Every structure is written in structure tokens, then in C-alpha cells.
Amino acid sequence: AQRVTQPEKLLSVFKGAPVELKCNYSYSGSPELFWYVQYSRQRLQLLLRHISRESIKGFTADLNKGETSFHLKKPFAQEEDSAMYYCALEGSNYQLIWGAGTKLIIKP
Amino acid sequence: DVKVTQSSRYLVKRTGEKVFLECVQDMDHENMFWYRQDPGLGLRLIYFSYDVKMKEKGDIPEGYSVSREKKERFSLILESASTNQTSMYLCASTSSGVLGYTFGSGTRLTVV
């Protein structure tokens, strides 16, 4: 079955500390994975996608097929990173399979 | 440069009312989606459409229907609103999944 798991509902770290938001997936083929972010009172938006191998706002995510993971990382957290983060996997017909989300709180 | 517009930001409706949520996109996307977003449950797909007049059920279609008469507009209909349909409703569109979805700002519906 296709599934995305984000084991942490809430993650709280201090400003300047490293951040890692975990995402594990279950998929039989070659996965297309995404991270979306929703800042307070803003619309949900694409943060990055594995196919682009990009770094956005200092965040990176590496696909680990052996561990079926796509963790989101940032070496030094900033207060403006506080948001809700969703990991998603593309299924058939461009449908996305979503994780339950992780609320990231950056403490000053 | 708003690209996906949801007609209402907040709605309060009574139990049993018929509710229409409208979504319009100006990017000529073929694929449009309706989700509900609830804390701890993430996004759950209600319905999607990959072309005009085409619709497919998502994971939680019960109590909902949709209409797509024009490419740019995808409407979600709650036939008889119930309190358990109180939620944030998100509309999204995409031309190709790898380019990502564009979301509307959401409609927070409260059914009393």
C-alpha cells in the first residue's frame, strides 16, 4: 500500500539548532516525493521536490531508497521556519499521498 | 498574482443546509482537487477532476459531490451539511504532478 508517515506531530527546537523533519514512505515503484509548507495564515505551498535536488530557504531533503525515507533538514533553524510541514508522495493521476504533517516550532 | 481562488475564507452554515464551495484557477490546469484539512489527520482527498465534466472519488467522498462544468472552476457541494463536516477545505490544481500543486487559501467551514 502507498503510504507516507511523518512520525512527529510536533517538533520544537531552538533557533540556530539543526532541524530534521522525518518522512518515511511505502511505495512499490520509483517515488516522486515533495515537501510542502504552510506558514501561519498562509496557503499551503510547495517547498521542495526530490526530483529537483534543490535547496530552498536552507532546507534540503535526500531520498534514501534503502530506508524509504525523505527527511527534511536544515543546519541552523530560524524563527521564520516555524510552520506546518507536510511530506507527500505522488501516486497515480497526479494524486498526492500525504503525511499527517509535523508542526515545527522554533524557540528563540 | 493569486492563481487559485476560493470564494470564501470563512463560512458558517446550519446543519442540513446545502453548501457550495467554489474554486477557480487561472493557470489552465487540467487537474483539480478538493481536500479537507484536519489537525492530526493531514490532508484527505475528497474528490478530484482531471478534465472538464470528469470527476473521481477520493478517500472520503461521502456526503460530498463536485461539479466541473468549466476547466477553470471546480465546485464542492455538501448536500446536507453536518457538524462533522466542520473543517478547513483546500482546493488545489496542477498540470503535472512533478511541478507541484498550487493551493487556494482555504475555506474554514463551521456547521452549527
Side-chain angles (χ1 to χ4, degrees):
Chain A
Q2 300 172 357
R3 187 184 300 121
V4 175
T5 304
Q6 293 180 251
E8 303 140 328
K9 288 188 176 180
L10 176 66
L11 182 64
S12 181
V13 302
F14 283 102
K15 177 182 173 182
V19 172
E20 183 179 51
L21 297 162
K22 291 185 168 53
C23 173
N24 289 92
Y25 66 91
S26 174
Y27 188 70
S28 57
S30 185
E32 295 292 345
L33 287 150
F34 305 82
W35 278 99
Y36 282 78
V37 61
Q38 188 171 30
Y39 301 103
S40 179
R41 296 191 179 88
Q42 294 187 27
R43 61 185 68 200
L44 193 59
Q45 58 187 286
L46 178 65
L47 179 62
L48 56 79
R49 51 200 159 192
H50 116 262
I51 196 171
S52 301
R53 300 185 183 279
E54 55 205 343
S55 173
I56 304 292
K57 299 185 179 183
F59 284 97
T60 59
D62 292 319
L63 177 62
N64 185 324
K65 291 187 177 181
E67 295 183 358
T68 60
S69 68
F70 188 57
H71 302 329
L72 184 68
K73 300 177 183 179
K74 184 170 183 176
F76 307 104
Q78 298 172 298
E79 287 186 68
E80 54 265 34
D81 296 328
S82 293
M84 195 75 184
Y85 291 80
Y86 292 95
C87 182
L89 166 70
E90 185 180 288
S92 58
N93 292 329
Y94 305 123
Q95 288 184 61
L96 290 180
I97 300 155
W98 297 84
T102 298
K103 184 173 185 177
L104 177 64
I105 296 174
I106 306 301
K107 297 178 286 188
Chain B
D1 62 339
V2 174
K3 296 182 169 65
V4 178
T5 303
Q6 292 184 233
S7 54
S8 303
R9 188 76 175 100
Y10 298 95
L11 273 180
V12 180
K13 296 292 181 180
R14 295 192 181 279
T15 301
E17 277 193 80
K18 191 169 186 176
V19 181
F20 293 86
L21 303 183
E22 303 288 343
C23 176
V24 177
Q25 52 95 2
D26 63 1
M27 296 167 289
D28 203 35
H29 285 169
E30 294 83 12
N31 307 286
M32 297 186 75
F33 306 83
W34 274 107
Y35 289 94
R36 60 178 285 175
Q37 182 184 30
D38 299 288
L41 298 177
L43 276 70
R44 292 181 291 169
L45 182 63
I46 305 171
Y47 268 95
F48 68 99
S49 169
Y50 51 87
D51 202 352
V52 176
K53 297 190 185 296
M54 305 298 286
K55 58 186 179 183
E56 295 285 342
K57 292 180 180 179
D59 300 317
I60 51 164
E62 295 78 19
Y64 303 94
S65 63
V66 290
S67 172
R68 189 150 182 219
E69 296 297 317
K70 294 184 178 181
K71 190 175 185 179
E72 65 271 19
R73 185 180 297 271
F74 192 35
S75 303
L76 179 69
I77 304 152
L78 285 67
E79 298 292 342
S80 177
S82 64
T83 54
N84 63 12
Q85 292 178 310
T86 291
S87 185
M88 172 67 87
Y89 289 87
L90 300 180
C91 175
S93 71
T94 188
S95 59
S96 167
V98 293
L99 297 179
Y101 286 13
T102 301
F103 280 88
S105 55
T107 296
R108 183 165 294 282
L109 173 67
T110 302
V111 183
V112 298

